[in-house]
Amino acid sequence: MVTRVVILGAGTGGTLTANRLRRRHSSSEMEITVVDQDDRHVYQPGLLFVPFGMTHPADIVRPRARQLHDGVTFVEDLIDRVDLEAGAVHLAGGAVLGYDVLVVATGARLVPEETEGLTGPGWMDKVFTFYTPEGAAALAAALAAFDRGRLVVNVVDMPIKCPVAPLEFCFLADWYFTERGIRDEVQITYATPLDGAFTKRTASEALGGMLEERNIELVPDFNTGEVDGTGGRLVGYDEREVPFDLAVVVPLHGGAEYVGRSPGLGDAVDFVPTDERTLQSTVAPNVFVIGDAATVPTSKAGSVTHFEGETLVANIEHYLAGESLEASFDGHANCFIETGFHKALLIDFNYDTEPGPGHYPGRVGLPLLKESRLNHLGKLLFQSVYWHSLLPGRDLPGVGSAMPTAGKRAV
Ligand SMILES: Cc1cc2nc3c(=O)[nH]c(=O)nc-3n(C[C@H](O)[C@H](O)[C@H](O)COP(=O)(O)OP(=O)(O)OC[C@H]3O[C@@H](n4cnc5c(N)ncnc54)[C@H](O)[C@@H]3O)c2cc1C
């Protein structure tokens, strides 16, 4: 009998899952259907570079269907809801897809309208986000026209995709205005709900020090309650105010909207409760989750999504064979952090190990928690790795899914 696997979302996680499954199972064994609302696969890490003119949205978007191996069916439609009891997905166009195994890979959704004033007067004029292609492109024009004043980068609340991206934005802004010879005319402020520059202690201290060296003001413990685009103010719930002439805001994130319309599938903010080691959902045994849609306590990042792929596919197979699942996902995450001036830092961590110094992936390799040109090249090269290795579901030579310990020095 043919097993029906339906994958919701054709972004990073959905695409690599479909391709990994297709390589291991013939069409006569497994029918694989992937659903997405549009046919534009965005390489999201590239969004960081758009505002600084280092790339263009057209260079980071490719058709989704072309990233999927032959024998995978791509359906372009909006997911309306999942009926867990019936084992069926209802699409907005009226089609109903029955499944034996469901993979939720619909990522995280930006909800800027949840913050008072954010999308009101001033939005896309003085207040921007670089988390969408449209926002990043509009911000590029605004930055090019900005030659003096207060630039504020703000994270409304956690969790967000790629928690280091707003910090990278600050570092790149420092470099960008220095290159333009107007750094002294621009004050850069980073307002974050965290108690420091980042979540993990050692990395937070290192990154906090780098903000200070670059004369970027850090405003910690700032919970944005309102954005006043006309008056140029962020107003915190504790009534503190941060003034700006140009604001770059990372809005609140939630899970996909259809999750909320699917009884029993999601939590209060539409993420899907997931076992952090097996990646099986805790809502139904035949539902698995990959990427930003899951509640697992690690970063929402493409690297995490990639490292999850191996465990996810193995456990779908174990489930179908009636075997017990492997608890093999260790929370492995790594992130290049652009620091400007053609350098970057790399951090590598998992559920149990904080980012620290050393090298990745072994004793010889990219320097960890240290700025280098090599890491910057690694970040730039990653786009090609993404399209040609990661999405097709190939293992990267020398880079396993589990966090390596060989090159790490104790923190
Ligand atoms: C600015 C920025 C910079 C980043 N930088 C990095 C980085 O340097 N390194 C890193 O590792 N990660 C980075 N990330 C994060 C990374 O891109 C994501 O973590 C990763 O793409 C998650 O994959 P996913 O499959 O869970 O979600 P996505 O790739 O976002 O895919 C989700 C898919 O679901 C679809 N979908 C959602 N709802 C519906 C619906 N109702 N119907 C149909 N389709 C639906 C969407 O259209 C989308 O295609 C960055 C993200 C951003 C925004």
Side-chain angles (χ1 to χ4, degrees), residues 153-160 166 190-199 218-224 240 250 252:
V153 179
N154 172 237
V155 175
V156 174
D157 205 355
M158 302 300 278
I160 60 168
Y190 182 46
T192 166
L194 300 175
D195 61 3
F198 194 54
T199 46
L218 175 67
V219 180
D221 300 311
F222 188 83
N223 294 101
T224 311
R240 275 185 295 162
V250 180
L252 286 172

Side-chain angles (χ1 to χ4, degrees), residues 11-13 36-37 44-45 64 79 105-106 131 162 291-292 301-303 379:
T12 313
D36 205 296
Q37 59 199 346
Q44 297 178 50
R64 292 191 194 280
I79 301 151
T106 33
Y131 267 51
C162 194
D292 298 346
S303 62
K379 174 116 182 167

Side-chain angles (χ1 to χ4, degrees), residues 183-201:
R183 179 64 183 92
D184 290 344
E185 308 295 327
V186 179
Q187 293 156 40
I188 307 176
T189 301
Y190 182 46
T192 166
L194 300 175
D195 61 3
F198 194 54
T199 46
K200 315 270 175 183
R201 189 177 51 85

Side-chain angles (χ1 to χ4, degrees), residues 108-171:
R109 179 172 57 104
L110 306 183
V111 280
E113 59 283 0
E114 293 275 309
T115 301
E116 194 183 329
L118 178 53
T119 53
W123 179 237
M124 294 287 191
D125 176 28
K126 270 166 78 173
V127 182
F128 296 87
T129 186
F130 63 99
Y131 267 51
T132 62
E134 299 69 30
L139 179 55
L143 273 186
F146 193 72
D147 49 18
R148 67 183 58 237
R150 293 158 303 190
L151 169 71
V152 171
V153 179
N154 172 237
V155 175
V156 174
D157 205 355
M158 302 300 278
I160 60 168
K161 301 192 242 195
C162 194
V164 295
L167 274 170
E168 295 181 276
F169 190 94
C170 292
F171 295 139

Side-chain angles (χ1 to χ4, degrees), residues 44-69:
Q44 297 178 50
L47 293 172
L48 171 69
F49 296 120
V50 173
F52 302 102
M54 295 163 74
T55 191
H56 297 280
D59 297 332
I60 57 170
V61 181
R62 295 190 179 184
R64 292 191 194 280
R66 271 205 239 146
Q67 315 314 315
L68 294 164
H69 288 345

